[in-house]
Amino acid sequence: MQPFVEFSMERWQSTYENRVDYNLSESGVHPMTLRELLDLARVESVDDTLVGYGQSNGSDELRARIAALYHGASDANVVATNGSAEANFVALWELVEPGDEVAIVTPAYGQTLGLAPMLGATVRPIPLRQELGWQPDPDDVARGVTGRTKVLVITNPSNPTGAILTADSRAALVAAASRAGAWIVADEVYTGAELEPPETPSFFGDYERVLATGSLSKAYGLPGLRVGWVVAPTALAPRLWARTDYTTISTGALTDRLAALALRADVRPMVLHRTRGILRGSLEVLEHWLGDAGCFSYLRPQAGAIAWVRYDLPVNSSRLAERLRAEQSVLVVPGDHFGLDHYLRIGYGLLSQDLTAALERVKKVLDTPHA
Ligand SMILES: Cc1ncc(COP(=O)(O)O)c(C=O)c1O
């Protein structure tokens, strides 16, 4: 067994996110209530749901609705999971063997960065570069994917940068994976949370060895349903499903039903419209504040309720985040959790009035001396 690698950002969030006045560590929008969802779907009640074990890879209805989001997919390609977290977990567990290399586009959500070494693999980061608009340099892509690369992990749209890969970046990544015969695990959990259309196309279908993961947590404002999925080639999907027998067995019967409602063809556009409305209103508040604060530089996010901002102050990011939490009860994610000090990830998906109040508190700490 390899040593346990703590997932520092999730530990920080799990410990504090429900214990602060303002949570700016969240990367999705202000969540929906169950009533809002049922009203959008014109469903009176779900009281008659049979709360048994449902179909463990997701109900046929849910899998068909997920498949409809992916060009060339059918329900046979889909395994429903408990969040994209479980989807990413079973994907890497299935694919990675000791001695493999896993190339990961970074900075990135820390799950696969921690999991790959625990599965005995070596991680090769492929850096996104701010000066390139948070795109990878093609030379770094070519260097990062080698003959030993088993999996290339791409998060698109990106967490934490909020940037979307250009067609050229996508092509370079697919070409590198294809040269190596590597699998691409595309974490596409921020798809649908773009500030402007179009919706980010999936990597699924770009190349025969792609697993795409997603969930209702970010673009749909329904993280508490804990419904996610992996879309995989037909031969691989049953193997991923078999892995879930060891993790959670099944999605919940009630949340499966609610997820199928959120993905219904007439409901989904309304849910995403709500998300885009929150994103646009709140980003305006945040950008105004960032401009006034005078110590930040950043590239405007294209998707997700997160801004990845560099600050020019003589203080370490974990120290700054801890001061914000302890002194002002505001939670942000320090750049250290993504391996880049002097950055903060600010979640701005709150309702505008809450965001304004939270940012006023952040300013109080920025304006005091940093010992
Ligand atoms: C890139 C990325 N992948 C996966 C997840 C896990 O989310 P969930 O399991 O709620 O889908 C997150 C959550 O922040 C994320 O940012």
Side-chain angles (χ1 to χ4, degrees):
M1 281 280 268
Q2 302 295 323
F4 178 69
V5 181
E6 187 172 285
F7 188 167
S8 47
M9 184 185 80
E10 282 298 341
R11 211 61 326 261
W12 173 248
Q13 292 183 287
S14 298
T15 309
Y16 296 120
E17 68 188 335
N18 291 303
R19 300 278 184 264
V20 288
D21 292 346
Y22 295 106
N23 179 17
L24 305 187
S25 76
E26 176 51 52
S27 59
V29 292
H30 184 70
M32 297 180 86
T33 62
L34 179 55
R35 189 68 264 157
E36 270 179 281
L37 175 60
L38 294 182
D39 283 351
L40 283 184
R42 295 181 189 283
V43 169
E44 192 60 42
S45 133
V46 286
D47 286 0
D48 61 344
T49 308
L50 198 60
V51 193
Y53 281 115
Q55 174 63 21
S56 87
N57 55 337
S59 63
D60 294 351
E61 190 170 53
L62 176 61
R63 281 181 297 111
R65 287 181 185 167
I66 294 166
L69 307 176
Y70 296 84
H71 189 68
S74 78
D75 58 355
N77 298 104
V78 178
V79 181
T81 54
N82 285 261
S84 58
E86 188 185 20
N88 290 334
F89 182 88
V90 294
L92 258 70
W93 190 21
E94 167 69 25
L95 296 174
V96 177
E97 290 169 300
D100 285 345
E101 286 183 7
V102 175
I104 304 183
V105 178
T106 59
Y109 184 63
Q111 186 186 13
T112 52
L113 285 159
L115 198 49
M118 287 192 278
L119 293 169
T122 304
V123 170
R124 280 182 171 263
I126 298 174
L128 296 167
R129 299 194 178 274
Q130 185 160 1
E131 66 277 15
L132 300 179
W134 293 120
Q135 302 295 315
D137 180 324
D139 290 341
D140 290 329
V141 175
R143 260 194 303 275
V145 181
T146 76
R148 301 181 61 151
T149 305
K150 185 67 156 302
V151 177
L152 166 59
V153 180
I154 304 168
T155 306
N156 189 47
S158 161
N159 172 10
T161 70
I164 298 172
L165 291 169
T166 61
D168 284 352
S169 298
R170 293 173 68 108
L173 289 160
V174 171
S178 147
R179 266 196 308 274
W183 287 90
I184 290 179
V185 172
D187 181 335
E188 298 173 343
V189 74
Y190 293 96
T191 298
E194 297 81 7
L195 279 131
E196 305 296 337
E199 221 168 276
T200 311
S202 175
F203 273 89
F204 186 80
D206 273 12
Y207 163 57
E208 62 279 10
R209 294 189 164 200
V210 173
L211 279 70
T213 62
S215 82
L216 298 180
S217 297
K218 313 299 177 185
Y220 300 79
L222 296 165
L225 292 187
R226 305 305 305 131
V227 173
W229 55 83
V230 52
V231 182
T234 325
L236 193 65
R239 298 170 63 98
L240 298 169
W241 177 17
R243 298 256 167 185
T244 69
D245 294 343
Y246 283 101
T247 53
T248 59
I249 302 179
S250 172
T251 51
L254 181 57
T255 56
D256 182 304
R257 181 169 179 192
L258 295 169
L261 281 183
L263 291 173
R264 214 173 69 194
D266 59 324
V267 178
R268 183 175 184 268
M270 294 190 278
V271 176
L272 298 187
H273 178 75
R274 170 192 179 272
T275 298
R276 195 159 287 154
I278 297 174
L279 289 175
R280 285 183 181 161
S282 295
L283 185 55
E284 201 179 314
V285 171
L286 178 68
E287 289 205 280
H288 199 268
W289 180 88
L290 287 169
D292 281 353
C295 59
F296 293 110
S297 56
Y298 68 100
L299 295 178
R300 191 171 199 265
Q302 296 172 287
I306 39 179
W308 179 237
V309 302
R310 195 181 153 78
Y311 60 86
D312 185 16
L313 294 170
V315 59
N316 161 261
S317 64
S318 297
R319 166 86 187 121
L320 180 56
E322 175 55 18
R323 281 197 59 198
L324 289 167
R325 184 196 71 77
E327 295 172 25
Q328 294 295 334
S329 197
V330 175
L331 199 69
V332 300
V333 177
D336 283 344
H337 288 177
F338 291 92
L340 287 172
D341 193 12
H342 291 279
Y343 282 87
L344 294 178
R345 194 190 78 177
I346 301 181
Y348 65 86
L350 287 71
L351 302 178
S352 297
Q353 63 275 20
D354 291 336
L355 181 61
T356 303
L359 294 174
E360 275 169 16
R361 293 204 194 179
V362 175
K363 187 77 170 59
K364 287 186 188 154
V365 171
L366 296 181
D367 288 347
T368 56
H370 303 283

